[in-house]
Amino acid sequence: MNQTNSFSALVRLLRYARGYRRRIIAAATCSVINKLFDIAPEILIGVAIDVVVNQERSFVARLGFTTPQEQIIALGVLTFVIWAGESIFEYLYQVLWRNLAQRLQSDLRQDAYEHAQRLDMSFFESRSSGHLVATLNDDVNQLERFLDGGANAMIQVGVTVVAVGAVFFFISPLIALLAFTPIPLIIWGGFYFQRKAGPLYGEVRERVGEIASRLSNNLNGIATIKSFTAEAREAERLRQASEAYVEANRKAIRVSSAFIPVIRMAVLTGFLATFTIGGMQALSGDLNIGAYGVLVFLTQRLLWPLTGLAEVIDLFERAMASTRRILGLLEEPVQVADQGNPDLAQPVRGEVHFQQLAFQYPNSNSGIHGIDLKVPAGHTLALVGATGSGKSTLIKLLLRFQDPQSGQVLIDGQPVTAISLRSLRQAVGLVSQDVYLFEGSIRDNIAYGRPNASDEEIVSAARQAEAWAFIEALPQGLDTPVGERGVRLSGGQRQRLSLARALLKNPPILVLDEATSAVDNETEAAIQRSLRRIAHDRTVIMIAHRLSTIVHADQIAVIEQGRVAECGRHAELLARDGFYAAQWRVQTGMAREDDPIMA
């Protein structure tokens, strides 16, 4: 079963690499010719022995070289040509295979990454980033190592068996049968060890992913580790993951290492058969002395390279385990498809309609049920409710990070499923609670949505987001490095840059997903001032826990357990004395004992 899986992975890889067919054929051809040249010197040694022993009656004499001296000179010239040919084709196959390995691994990584970018958010929510990084990096490199040397070795072993076998059967069918007797055992042993090693190397690749995931999580959470003085505990966890990797490798190594001693004994059997039986025939005159020399030398050429099958199979199994993971990622279905849909009609006014939306997360009771909300263009909708009530789900559906099970989201009357993803997401600017800044300068991060924006436009967006004051005070201004994930900036500064990044994009629809929940009062006040200025000519959808930030919203929807519980303006909802009014009293210090608390 595992053997089948490995060859199935090879077939899938060849199917993927069909665009490289000419390069593969050229590299394989050079490998074949090189091996034929490599075998030839052993034949020439036997021919030289024949010349010395038989002289004018030698095989070479039949080709027109009458004297032994002429025969030796001819063999010398032929030896030079063969060695030169072997060297040339060794250079060619190494260049071709290595360049092919580099090109294929680069394209495979690029294709896998681009495909991963097209996958919907639920895929990333169910996979660890460490496993994905290990697949895109370590697994691709593992395949590269096989193509660098393993593919050539497999081809040359096959050529050796066929070419040497042909010479053997031409000289002595009896000795050929005896010399080839161990080959079925060697091949069976190769497949046996391959079948045993396959799942073990699959386990090794899993352990690699776990280590990468552990390292990624810990390095991203280093501040938390330090604050809880958990360095020793996390070091122990990494040690355990590393030991699991070592143990998985130990099992695979134990299996693959047993292959060579077993095959060595099989090789000895074939060599002894050629050595003894051939020697007896040469002594009795039934076999030419030169031919006997050829057979003895070629026996080693035939059998000893087969001991290299252990290393080749080791490389092959590692590569196929990695190939299954890489192609598995490439074959992951895209749930939210963008199939050449037309762009959103221009100009975009920004009307948003959540029409009878229903969405249920798999293996979970959370989701939304029959939500119907309409936001006129240029108006502000605020969404409030307990954590897990479904507020962020609406934003995911708006951006088509996921698609609803029923109902639809419309922008200016067009279903978002009927327009291109690029057009949809260009029309929406997202500022989330968890701000992600890329390593680079402040300028790079603000201009992320518009890389060609001028400095004047970047400064204008920074001013609108009330970020320019702190940027201008920095020694390097816009060229200040933010560090990985923006670690060199405060939370409030990162939030303002995130808002500036969205504003530079100048979207007709602006989404704020709890954008002020983790900032100080001064930053919140600054962001609120910015929002009041920029909300006049665009649609704004806000998710907020702090009700003080949404009192000016045109429409406030209270979401409870995936449904709209209340909807109206701030004053209207206070007058209803429902959930919203209760939360308002809690947050303004006038709570009653029976008021619920929004979690």
Side-chain angles (χ1 to χ4, degrees):
M1 180 63 180
N2 295 312
Q3 174 185 326
T4 303
N5 287 341
S6 294
F7 284 105
S8 173
L10 178 61
V11 170
R12 290 162 63 196
L13 177 63
L14 291 174
R15 190 179 300 124
Y16 168 83
R18 57 183 176 272
Y20 306 85
R21 189 172 299 161
R22 289 185 179 179
R23 300 186 195 184
I24 294 173
I25 292 173
T29 300
C30 290
S31 293
V32 170
I33 296 174
N34 168 262
K35 179 50 64 175
L36 293 176
F37 276 125
D38 182 51
I39 293 170
E42 275 68 21
I43 299 175
L44 290 181
I45 291 173
V47 173
I49 293 172
D50 181 52
V51 168
V52 172
V53 172
N54 295 312
Q55 299 187 15
E56 286 82 359
R57 301 188 308 277
S58 71
F59 171 76
V60 178
R62 302 175 200 170
L63 302 178
F65 302 96
T66 54
T67 68
Q69 291 77 13
E70 289 178 349
Q71 296 172 28
I72 294 296
I73 292 173
L75 289 177
V77 172
L78 186 57
T79 299
F80 174 81
V81 171
I82 288 172
W83 278 74
E86 180 186 359
S87 300
I88 291 171
F89 282 97
E90 181 174 0
Y91 168 79
L92 290 175
Y93 85 65
Q94 287 197 13
V95 168
L96 289 170
W97 278 119
R98 290 180 178 180
N99 284 335
L100 174 65
Q102 292 297 317
R103 185 71 269 153
L104 185 58
Q105 64 91 15
S106 176
D107 291 348
L108 191 57
R109 180 183 289 112
Q110 188 69 27
D111 289 346
Y113 172 74
E114 290 180 5
H115 181 75
Q117 286 192 131
R118 291 191 291 270
L119 296 173
D120 58 290
M121 292 302 296
S122 61
F123 171 83
F124 296 97
E125 291 165 359
S126 62
R127 304 292 199 287
S128 76
S129 59
H131 276 82
L132 291 174
V133 170
T135 298
L136 292 169
N137 189 49
D138 194 68
D139 283 328
V140 172
N141 290 340
Q142 192 68 52
L143 178 59
E144 177 198 350
R145 284 190 284 273
F146 170 70
L147 292 174
D148 266 344
N152 170 71
M154 290 181 72
I155 291 172
Q156 292 202 334
V157 166
V159 171
T160 299
V161 172
V162 172
V164 173
V167 174
F168 262 65
F169 278 98
F170 175 78
I171 295 175
S172 173
L174 173 62
I175 295 178
L177 289 173
L178 294 173
F180 270 70
T181 299
I183 289 182
L185 175 62
I186 294 172
I187 294 174
W188 174 85
F191 285 125
Y192 173 80
F193 282 102
Q194 180 254 332
R195 187 167 59 251
K196 290 290 185 182
L200 297 178
Y201 283 121
E203 180 72 12
V204 169
R205 304 319 309 155
E206 285 299 316
R207 298 289 81 79
V208 169
E210 290 177 5
I211 291 175
S213 181
R214 174 66 59 188
L215 288 171
S216 176
N217 288 336
N218 286 11
L219 292 176
N220 286 329
I222 191 66
T224 302
I225 292 172
K226 287 179 175 293
S227 68
F228 284 93
T229 61
E231 292 93 338
R233 184 165 71 249
E234 291 302 332
E236 175 60 21
R237 289 182 179 178
L238 179 62
R239 189 194 67 79
Q240 291 175 2
S242 296
E243 285 299 319
Y245 171 68
V246 170
E247 176 63 19
N249 252 318
R250 186 184 66 80
K251 293 178 180 177
I253 291 169
R254 186 174 59 194
V255 170
S256 62
S257 297
F259 181 63
I260 291 180
V262 173
I263 300 307
R264 189 183 297 272
M265 297 309 298
V267 168
L268 177 61
T269 303
F271 179 75
L272 287 176
T274 304
F275 185 78
T276 55
I277 303 301
M280 294 297 180
Q281 288 187 341
L283 289 173
S284 65
D286 295 332
L287 183 66
N288 182 283
I289 300 297
Y292 175 60
V294 170
L295 293 178
V296 170
F297 284 114
L298 282 184
T299 301
Q300 292 199 19
R301 275 294 184 185
L302 171 67
L303 299 177
W304 281 113
L306 292 176
T307 61
L309 277 177
E311 183 178 354
V312 174
I313 289 173
D314 187 74
L315 279 173
F316 177 75
E317 282 302 331
R318 288 178 182 269
M320 291 307 101
S322 294
T323 297
R324 285 191 291 272
R325 285 161 56 96
I326 300 164
L327 296 182
L329 175 59
L330 272 169
E331 293 164 3
E332 191 73 32
V334 178
Q335 303 294 340
V336 179
D338 188 5
Q339 300 173 336
N341 293 333
D343 288 345
L344 191 60
Q346 301 294 321
V348 180
R349 294 181 294 107
E351 178 188 272
V352 178
H353 188 183
F354 301 103
Q355 188 179 69
Q356 296 298 323
L357 283 182
F359 178 84
Q360 188 82 21
Y361 289 98
N363 305 319
S364 171
N365 292 324
S366 61
I368 57 175
H369 316 281
I371 286 186
D372 197 294
L373 290 169
K374 191 170 186 178
V375 192
H379 283 224
T380 297
L381 167 68
L383 301 171
V384 299
T387 300
S389 60
K391 306 182 299 298
S392 294
T393 300
L394 289 173
I395 304 307
K396 291 179 181 178
L397 297 177
L398 169 63
L399 286 163
R400 281 202 77 198
F401 290 162
Q402 292 170 318
D403 282 337
Q405 274 103 34
S406 64
Q408 58 183 347
V409 181
L410 301 100
I411 295 180
D412 294 346
Q414 294 179 265
V416 296
T417 54
I419 58 178
S420 68
L421 288 173
R422 179 178 178 82
S423 173
L424 165 65
R425 292 169 184 169
Q426 282 183 334
V428 181
L430 175 64
V431 182
S432 85
Q433 177 184 10
D434 183 19
V435 176
Y436 193 97
L437 297 182
F438 295 89
E439 189 167 7
S441 68
I442 288 177
R443 175 187 283 104
D444 295 336
N445 275 278
I446 294 178
Y448 188 75
R450 285 180 57 198
N452 298 323
S454 66
D455 277 3
E456 290 76 12
E457 291 172 314
I458 293 172
V459 171
S460 175
R463 290 185 188 279
Q464 286 184 333
E466 299 215 6
W468 182 243
F470 85 80
I471 294 173
E472 195 175 27
L474 294 171
Q476 294 175 266
L478 287 171
D479 294 317
T480 302
V482 302
E484 189 176 8
R485 295 179 65 91
V487 294
R488 297 182 183 179
L489 303 176
S490 70
Q493 289 172 333
R494 291 197 297 269
Q495 197 65 264
R496 294 189 207 189
L497 289 187
S498 177
L499 181 58
R501 179 167 62 189
L503 293 177
L504 182 62
K505 186 180 175 182
N506 194 28
I509 302 169
L510 182 63
V511 175
L512 305 169
D513 189 354
E514 299 193 38
T516 63
S517 63
V519 298
D520 54 59
N521 291 333
E522 180 185 351
T523 302
E524 180 186 352
I527 291 176
Q528 290 303 317
R529 289 194 300 270
S530 300
L531 292 177
R532 282 195 291 272
R533 286 196 301 269
I534 64 179
H536 293 301
D537 56 352
R538 58 171 49 86
T539 302
V540 179
I541 299 176
M542 303 173 60
I543 294 177
H545 271 98
R546 298 183 188 179
L547 302 186
S548 60
T549 64
I550 61 169
V551 294
H552 299 294
D554 299 300
Q555 186 180 8
I556 301 171
V558 179
I559 311 297
E560 284 190 78
Q561 297 181 354
R563 302 181 187 277
V564 178
E566 298 176 317
C567 192
R569 298 179 69 89
H570 173 71
E572 296 170 351
L573 294 175
L574 289 182
R576 291 183 190 177
D577 197 23
F579 181 85
Y580 182 85
Q583 293 307 306
W584 178 260
R585 288 192 294 270
V586 169
Q587 294 187 14
T588 55
M590 296 182 294
R592 301 195 301 244
E593 289 186 3
D594 59 339
D595 283 339
I597 298 177
M598 183 168 59

